[in-house]
Amino acid sequence: MKLQQAVLDHPFNEELADGSLSRERFQFYLAQDARYLVGFGRALAVAAARAPEPDDLTFFAGAAREAVVVERALHEDYFESFGLSEADLSAIETSPTCLAYTSFLLATAQTASYGELVAALLPCFWVYQHVGSGILGRTQVADNPYRAWIETYADDEFAASVQACRDAVDRAAAAADPGTRQRMLAAFTRACEYEWMFWDSAYRLESWPTLPYRG
């Protein structure tokens, strides 16, 4: 898929792979990702509540807990490793792209079909696995400061989660009418676009263009 490859080829991830990504950019990314995970977790919880199959209910409920509890603990370890205090985090405002992506997921959770919701959730799993595996293959430096983050999304346990989400989307698509399947594809594509935009916004240290006009 072109969008997935575009994410992998983005300067943020190329520099992540060779360890040259600036600390400032990674800190900004961590702050945005921690906030994104809260919205993502809420959307996963809605998917769990609406899942028609018990296995999918269990998967999405577990993924919601993972996003909010386990992933946030991982981020806290990185906050400490990369010198991000609570004051530093508070000083980094939620970016326009982070707000837009989480708002898209939450709006989909509240207004769209179950199939559209799970299709919109899939890219966060699938794209991260693609990027993590792709970057790990490029990573040659043993002391890459980002290696632990890369390995998190390239391991077998995360691959199993990705497959479980893909299976849930496939089941929803099989049970849907043609119009719903088209909307599922549109939701999946839009979320993939947001994935690229999320990394791009971190690389640019995105801020609100209206900041000078506040107050």
Tab-separated table of all heavy atoms in Angstrom, residues 117-161:
chain	number	residue	atom	x	y	z
A	117	LEU	N	-15.994	1.730	12.068
A	117	LEU	CA	-15.150	1.999	13.235
A	117	LEU	C	-13.931	1.084	13.262
A	117	LEU	O	-12.802	1.561	13.420
A	117	LEU	CB	-15.968	1.830	14.512
A	117	LEU	CG	-15.179	1.900	15.830
A	117	LEU	CD1	-14.413	3.207	15.963
A	117	LEU	CD2	-16.123	1.689	17.017
A	118	VAL	N	-14.129	-0.215	13.111
A	118	VAL	CA	-12.982	-1.119	13.203
A	118	VAL	C	-12.024	-0.908	12.029
A	118	VAL	O	-10.808	-1.081	12.165
A	118	VAL	CB	-13.415	-2.600	13.334
A	118	VAL	CG1	-14.142	-2.806	14.653
A	118	VAL	CG2	-14.271	-3.058	12.172
A	119	ALA	N	-12.569	-0.521	10.871
A	119	ALA	CA	-11.700	-0.211	9.729
A	119	ALA	C	-10.853	1.020	10.018
A	119	ALA	O	-9.684	1.092	9.617
A	119	ALA	CB	-12.548	0.007	8.471
A	120	ALA	N	-11.432	1.994	10.723
A	120	ALA	CA	-10.684	3.204	11.080
A	120	ALA	C	-9.631	2.928	12.150
A	120	ALA	O	-8.607	3.615	12.209
A	120	ALA	CB	-11.645	4.287	11.569
A	121	LEU	N	-9.868	1.916	12.985
A	121	LEU	CA	-8.913	1.567	14.049
A	121	LEU	C	-7.741	0.733	13.536
A	121	LEU	O	-6.661	0.760	14.117
A	121	LEU	CB	-9.634	0.790	15.162
A	121	LEU	CG	-10.659	1.571	15.984
A	121	LEU	CD1	-11.475	0.621	16.848
A	121	LEU	CD2	-9.973	2.618	16.851
A	122	LEU	N	-7.955	-0.009	12.461
A	122	LEU	CA	-6.940	-0.939	11.962
A	122	LEU	C	-5.600	-0.283	11.621
A	122	LEU	O	-4.539	-0.850	11.948
A	122	LEU	CB	-7.485	-1.713	10.763
A	122	LEU	CG	-6.535	-2.700	10.080
A	122	LEU	CD1	-5.992	-3.730	11.063
A	122	LEU	CD2	-7.239	-3.388	8.900
A	123	PRO	N	-5.555	0.883	10.959
A	123	PRO	CA	-4.243	1.438	10.583
A	123	PRO	C	-3.283	1.650	11.748
A	123	PRO	O	-2.076	1.479	11.579
A	123	PRO	CB	-4.605	2.756	9.903
A	123	PRO	CG	-5.931	2.480	9.293
A	123	PRO	CD	-6.652	1.657	10.322
A	124	CYS	N	-3.791	2.017	12.911
A	124	CYS	CA	-2.879	2.225	14.037
A	124	CYS	C	-2.144	0.936	14.378
A	124	CYS	O	-0.976	0.965	14.776
A	124	CYS	CB	-3.645	2.749	15.251
A	124	CYS	SG	-2.552	3.260	16.602
A	125	PHE	N	-2.803	-0.200	14.228
A	125	PHE	CA	-2.144	-1.493	14.435
A	125	PHE	C	-1.240	-1.830	13.245
A	125	PHE	O	-0.038	-2.078	13.401
A	125	PHE	CB	-3.194	-2.606	14.590
A	125	PHE	CG	-3.995	-2.558	15.843
A	125	PHE	CD1	-5.234	-1.929	15.879
A	125	PHE	CD2	-3.525	-3.155	17.005
A	125	PHE	CE1	-5.990	-1.897	17.042
A	125	PHE	CE2	-4.266	-3.138	18.176
A	125	PHE	CZ	-5.507	-2.496	18.190
A	126	TRP	N	-1.829	-1.847	12.069
A	126	TRP	CA	-1.168	-2.379	10.876
A	126	TRP	C	0.005	-1.502	10.440
A	126	TRP	O	1.087	-2.001	10.124
A	126	TRP	CB	-2.194	-2.504	9.756
A	126	TRP	CG	-1.829	-3.441	8.651
A	126	TRP	CD1	-0.650	-4.113	8.497
A	126	TRP	CD2	-2.662	-3.819	7.550
A	126	TRP	NE1	-0.698	-4.880	7.362
A	126	TRP	CE2	-1.916	-4.725	6.769
A	126	TRP	CE3	-3.949	-3.473	7.153
A	126	TRP	CZ2	-2.438	-5.285	5.601
A	126	TRP	CZ3	-4.463	-4.036	5.998
A	126	TRP	CH2	-3.717	-4.944	5.234
A	127	VAL	N	-0.218	-0.185	10.414
A	127	VAL	CA	0.858	0.712	9.981
A	127	VAL	C	2.024	0.663	10.956
A	127	VAL	O	3.195	0.644	10.550
A	127	VAL	CB	0.329	2.154	9.812
A	127	VAL	CG1	1.473	3.125	9.538
A	127	VAL	CG2	-0.689	2.213	8.679
A	128	TYR	N	1.734	0.607	12.254
A	128	TYR	CA	2.831	0.536	13.231
A	128	TYR	C	3.634	-0.750	13.077
A	128	TYR	O	4.857	-0.745	13.208
A	128	TYR	CB	2.282	0.661	14.655
A	128	TYR	CG	2.361	2.066	15.192
A	128	TYR	CD1	1.417	3.018	14.824
A	128	TYR	CD2	3.387	2.460	16.038
A	128	TYR	CE1	1.479	4.319	15.295
A	128	TYR	CE2	3.462	3.757	16.517
A	128	TYR	CZ	2.504	4.677	16.149
A	128	TYR	OH	2.577	5.964	16.607
A	129	GLN	N	2.949	-1.865	12.804
A	129	GLN	CA	3.688	-3.110	12.588
A	129	GLN	C	4.562	-3.006	11.345
A	129	GLN	O	5.728	-3.421	11.353
A	129	GLN	CB	2.713	-4.277	12.441
A	129	GLN	CG	3.435	-5.611	12.255
A	129	GLN	CD	2.539	-6.689	11.651
A	129	GLN	OE1	1.543	-6.388	10.974
A	129	GLN	NE2	2.874	-7.935	11.898
A	130	HIS	N	3.998	-2.442	10.279
A	130	HIS	CA	4.739	-2.283	9.030
A	130	HIS	C	5.963	-1.400	9.244
A	130	HIS	O	7.076	-1.725	8.801
A	130	HIS	CB	3.828	-1.672	7.969
A	130	HIS	CG	4.469	-1.483	6.630
A	130	HIS	ND1	4.729	-2.523	5.770
A	130	HIS	CD2	4.921	-0.371	6.009
A	130	HIS	CE1	5.301	-2.063	4.676
A	130	HIS	NE2	5.434	-0.752	4.792
A	131	VAL	N	5.758	-0.307	9.963
A	131	VAL	CA	6.866	0.618	10.226
A	131	VAL	C	7.884	-0.017	11.169
A	131	VAL	O	9.094	0.033	10.916
A	131	VAL	CB	6.327	1.937	10.811
A	131	VAL	CG1	7.465	2.803	11.333
A	131	VAL	CG2	5.542	2.695	9.753
A	132	GLY	N	7.406	-0.625	12.250
A	132	GLY	CA	8.328	-1.238	13.204
A	132	GLY	C	9.183	-2.322	12.566
A	132	GLY	O	10.406	-2.354	12.749
A	133	SER	N	8.554	-3.205	11.797
A	133	SER	CA	9.301	-4.278	11.129
A	133	SER	C	10.248	-3.721	10.079
A	133	SER	O	11.387	-4.175	9.948
A	133	SER	CB	8.326	-5.263	10.477
A	133	SER	OG	7.471	-5.838	11.429
A	134	GLY	N	9.759	-2.726	9.321
A	134	GLY	CA	10.593	-2.126	8.278
A	134	GLY	C	11.790	-1.405	8.841
A	134	GLY	O	12.911	-1.522	8.332
A	135	ILE	N	11.576	-0.662	9.925
A	135	ILE	CA	12.672	0.077	10.547
A	135	ILE	C	13.675	-0.878	11.178
A	135	ILE	O	14.889	-0.679	11.080
A	135	ILE	CB	12.129	1.062	11.603
A	135	ILE	CG1	11.365	2.192	10.933
A	135	ILE	CG2	13.268	1.641	12.440
A	135	ILE	CD1	10.735	3.160	11.909
A	136	LEU	N	13.180	-1.926	11.828
A	136	LEU	CA	14.087	-2.878	12.464
A	136	LEU	C	15.026	-3.488	11.437
A	136	LEU	O	16.211	-3.698	11.707
A	136	LEU	CB	13.289	-3.976	13.176
A	136	LEU	CG	14.108	-4.932	14.052
A	136	LEU	CD1	14.770	-4.176	15.197
A	136	LEU	CD2	13.218	-6.044	14.602
A	137	GLY	N	14.500	-3.747	10.229
A	137	GLY	CA	15.348	-4.289	9.171
A	137	GLY	C	16.411	-3.316	8.706
A	137	GLY	O	17.479	-3.718	8.228
A	138	ARG	N	16.146	-2.016	8.864
A	138	ARG	CA	17.107	-0.995	8.449
A	138	ARG	C	18.085	-0.623	9.561
A	138	ARG	O	19.109	0.001	9.311
A	138	ARG	CB	16.364	0.281	8.048
A	138	ARG	CG	15.432	0.163	6.859
A	138	ARG	CD	14.779	1.525	6.602
A	138	ARG	NE	13.802	1.479	5.537
A	138	ARG	CZ	13.109	2.536	5.133
A	138	ARG	NH1	13.286	3.718	5.717
A	138	ARG	NH2	12.225	2.435	4.159
A	139	THR	N	17.721	-0.935	10.797
A	139	THR	CA	18.517	-0.490	11.938
A	139	THR	C	19.803	-1.284	12.036
A	139	THR	O	19.783	-2.491	12.266
A	139	THR	CB	17.712	-0.627	13.244
A	139	THR	OG1	16.517	0.141	13.121
A	139	THR	CG2	18.512	-0.119	14.431
A	140	GLN	N	20.907	-0.606	11.848
A	140	GLN	CA	22.218	-1.249	11.895
A	140	GLN	C	22.999	-0.890	13.154
A	140	GLN	O	23.932	-1.579	13.529
A	140	GLN	CB	23.040	-0.835	10.653
A	140	GLN	CG	22.358	-1.139	9.323
A	140	GLN	CD	22.124	-2.614	9.110
A	140	GLN	OE1	22.927	-3.450	9.515
A	140	GLN	NE2	21.011	-2.948	8.467
A	141	VAL	N	22.606	0.202	13.797
A	141	VAL	CA	23.369	0.692	14.941
A	141	VAL	C	22.870	0.029	16.211
A	141	VAL	O	21.711	0.181	16.598
A	141	VAL	CB	23.226	2.227	15.060
A	141	VAL	CG1	24.085	2.755	16.200
A	141	VAL	CG2	23.608	2.887	13.749
A	142	ALA	N	23.746	-0.720	16.874
A	142	ALA	CA	23.354	-1.470	18.071
A	142	ALA	C	22.917	-0.552	19.200
A	142	ALA	O	22.040	-0.900	19.993
A	142	ALA	CB	24.509	-2.364	18.527
A	143	ASP	N	23.529	0.621	19.282
A	143	ASP	CA	23.200	1.540	20.376
A	143	ASP	C	22.215	2.621	19.947
A	143	ASP	O	22.200	3.721	20.500
A	143	ASP	CB	24.462	2.176	20.957
A	143	ASP	CG	25.256	2.966	19.912
A	143	ASP	OD1	24.908	2.881	18.716
A	143	ASP	OD2	26.208	3.668	20.295
A	144	ASN	N	21.393	2.328	18.948
A	144	ASN	CA	20.351	3.255	18.523
A	144	ASN	C	19.480	3.593	19.740
A	144	ASN	O	18.914	2.697	20.366
A	144	ASN	CB	19.494	2.606	17.428
A	144	ASN	CG	18.448	3.548	16.848
A	144	ASN	OD1	17.928	4.414	17.527
A	144	ASN	ND2	18.126	3.350	15.579
A	145	PRO	N	19.356	4.866	20.105
A	145	PRO	CA	18.584	5.221	21.301
A	145	PRO	C	17.106	4.889	21.195
A	145	PRO	O	16.398	4.865	22.210
A	145	PRO	CB	18.804	6.737	21.423
A	145	PRO	CG	19.149	7.182	20.036
A	145	PRO	CD	19.917	6.052	19.440
A	146	TYR	N	16.630	4.619	19.979
A	146	TYR	CA	15.211	4.334	19.774
A	146	TYR	C	14.948	2.849	19.531
A	146	TYR	O	13.834	2.474	19.186
A	146	TYR	CB	14.693	5.150	18.582
A	146	TYR	CG	15.015	6.622	18.710
A	146	TYR	CD1	15.891	7.248	17.817
A	146	TYR	CD2	14.489	7.392	19.740
A	146	TYR	CE1	16.201	8.599	17.945
A	146	TYR	CE2	14.801	8.736	19.879
A	146	TYR	CZ	15.657	9.329	18.978
A	146	TYR	OH	15.969	10.660	19.111
A	147	ARG	N	15.939	2.018	19.727
A	147	ARG	CA	15.815	0.598	19.374
A	147	ARG	C	14.697	-0.098	20.165
A	147	ARG	O	13.934	-0.889	19.604
A	147	ARG	CB	17.139	-0.127	19.589
A	147	ARG	CG	17.121	-1.547	19.020
A	147	ARG	CD	18.471	-2.240	19.107
A	147	ARG	NE	18.417	-3.528	18.429
A	147	ARG	CZ	18.694	-3.716	17.150
A	147	ARG	NH1	19.054	-2.696	16.395
A	147	ARG	NH2	18.614	-4.912	16.605
A	148	ALA	N	14.572	0.200	21.451
A	148	ALA	CA	13.539	-0.452	22.263
A	148	ALA	C	12.145	-0.113	21.746
A	148	ALA	O	11.253	-0.973	21.697
A	148	ALA	CB	13.676	-0.055	23.726
A	149	TRP	N	11.946	1.147	21.340
A	149	TRP	CA	10.647	1.540	20.782
A	149	TRP	C	10.397	0.762	19.498
A	149	TRP	O	9.297	0.247	19.281
A	149	TRP	CB	10.631	3.052	20.485
A	149	TRP	CG	9.305	3.539	19.979
A	149	TRP	CD1	8.303	4.091	20.715
A	149	TRP	CD2	8.824	3.484	18.629
A	149	TRP	NE1	7.234	4.386	19.902
A	149	TRP	CE2	7.518	4.029	18.628
A	149	TRP	CE3	9.362	3.032	17.434
A	149	TRP	CZ2	6.761	4.128	17.470
A	149	TRP	CZ3	8.604	3.127	16.276
A	149	TRP	CH2	7.321	3.674	16.305
A	150	ILE	N	11.396	0.668	18.625
A	150	ILE	CA	11.259	-0.037	17.350
A	150	ILE	C	10.890	-1.502	17.582
A	150	ILE	O	9.989	-2.047	16.945
A	150	ILE	CB	12.567	0.069	16.538
A	150	ILE	CG1	12.836	1.540	16.163
A	150	ILE	CG2	12.502	-0.787	15.280
A	150	ILE	CD1	14.263	1.794	15.691
A	151	GLU	N	11.576	-2.142	18.522
A	151	GLU	CA	11.356	-3.567	18.776
A	151	GLU	C	9.963	-3.846	19.334
A	151	GLU	O	9.401	-4.913	19.106
A	151	GLU	CB	12.432	-4.093	19.720
A	151	GLU	CG	13.806	-4.179	19.058
A	151	GLU	CD	14.914	-4.601	20.011
A	151	GLU	OE1	14.692	-4.526	21.242
A	151	GLU	OE2	15.993	-5.002	19.520
A	152	THR	N	9.392	-2.880	20.049
A	152	THR	CA	8.045	-3.049	20.604
A	152	THR	C	7.027	-3.337	19.511
A	152	THR	O	6.126	-4.165	19.669
A	152	THR	CB	7.619	-1.781	21.376
A	152	THR	OG1	8.524	-1.572	22.457
A	152	THR	CG2	6.193	-1.913	21.917
A	153	TYR	N	7.178	-2.647	18.379
A	153	TYR	CA	6.196	-2.767	17.308
A	153	TYR	C	6.620	-3.750	16.225
A	153	TYR	O	5.949	-3.856	15.192
A	153	TYR	CB	5.913	-1.386	16.721
A	153	TYR	CG	5.303	-0.468	17.759
A	153	TYR	CD1	6.064	0.514	18.386
A	153	TYR	CD2	3.981	-0.625	18.150
A	153	TYR	CE1	5.509	1.321	19.370
A	153	TYR	CE2	3.419	0.180	19.127
A	153	TYR	CZ	4.188	1.152	19.733
A	153	TYR	OH	3.635	1.950	20.714
A	154	ALA	N	7.713	-4.452	16.456
A	154	ALA	CA	8.185	-5.440	15.481
A	154	ALA	C	8.169	-6.851	16.054
A	154	ALA	O	8.610	-7.784	15.396
A	154	ALA	CB	9.600	-5.088	15.016
A	155	ASP	N	7.632	-7.011	17.289
A	155	ASP	CA	7.694	-8.344	17.905
A	155	ASP	C	6.462	-9.183	17.559
A	155	ASP	O	5.481	-8.705	16.998
A	155	ASP	CB	7.903	-8.242	19.424
A	155	ASP	CG	6.698	-7.668	20.162
A	155	ASP	OD1	5.617	-7.519	19.553
A	155	ASP	OD2	6.833	-7.361	21.360
A	156	ASP	N	6.529	-10.469	17.901
A	156	ASP	CA	5.477	-11.410	17.529
A	156	ASP	C	4.161	-11.131	18.246
A	156	ASP	O	3.076	-11.348	17.686
A	156	ASP	CB	5.935	-12.841	17.832
A	156	ASP	CG	7.075	-13.293	16.930
A	156	ASP	OD1	7.259	-12.670	15.859
A	156	ASP	OD2	7.787	-14.243	17.297
A	157	GLU	N	4.234	-10.661	19.486
A	157	GLU	CA	3.013	-10.386	20.246
A	157	GLU	C	2.209	-9.261	19.592
A	157	GLU	O	0.988	-9.356	19.466
A	157	GLU	CB	3.372	-10.002	21.685
A	157	GLU	CG	2.149	-9.816	22.578
A	157	GLU	CD	2.517	-9.530	24.026
A	157	GLU	OE1	3.705	-9.696	24.386
A	157	GLU	OE2	1.626	-9.136	24.786
A	158	PHE	N	2.909	-8.220	19.157
A	158	PHE	CA	2.198	-7.124	18.492
A	158	PHE	C	1.656	-7.600	17.146
A	158	PHE	O	0.545	-7.223	16.757
A	158	PHE	CB	3.116	-5.923	18.304
A	158	PHE	CG	2.403	-4.708	17.773
A	158	PHE	CD1	1.461	-4.047	18.543
A	158	PHE	CD2	2.656	-4.240	16.491
A	158	PHE	CE1	0.775	-2.941	18.052
A	158	PHE	CE2	1.985	-3.133	15.996
A	158	PHE	CZ	1.046	-2.481	16.777
A	159	ALA	N	2.410	-8.460	16.441
A	159	ALA	CA	1.935	-9.001	15.162
A	159	ALA	C	0.639	-9.784	15.350
A	159	ALA	O	-0.263	-9.730	14.499
A	159	ALA	CB	3.009	-9.890	14.546
A	160	ALA	N	0.517	-10.485	16.472
A	160	ALA	CA	-0.712	-11.237	16.751
A	160	ALA	C	-1.890	-10.293	16.956
A	160	ALA	O	-3.018	-10.575	16.522
A	160	ALA	CB	-0.515	-12.117	17.984
A	161	SER	N	-1.654	-9.152	17.595
A	161	SER	CA	-2.712	-8.155	17.785
A	161	SER	C	-3.161	-7.576	16.446
A	161	SER	O	-4.358	-7.364	16.213
A	161	SER	CB	-2.218	-7.031	18.696
A	161	SER	OG	-1.967	-7.508	19.990
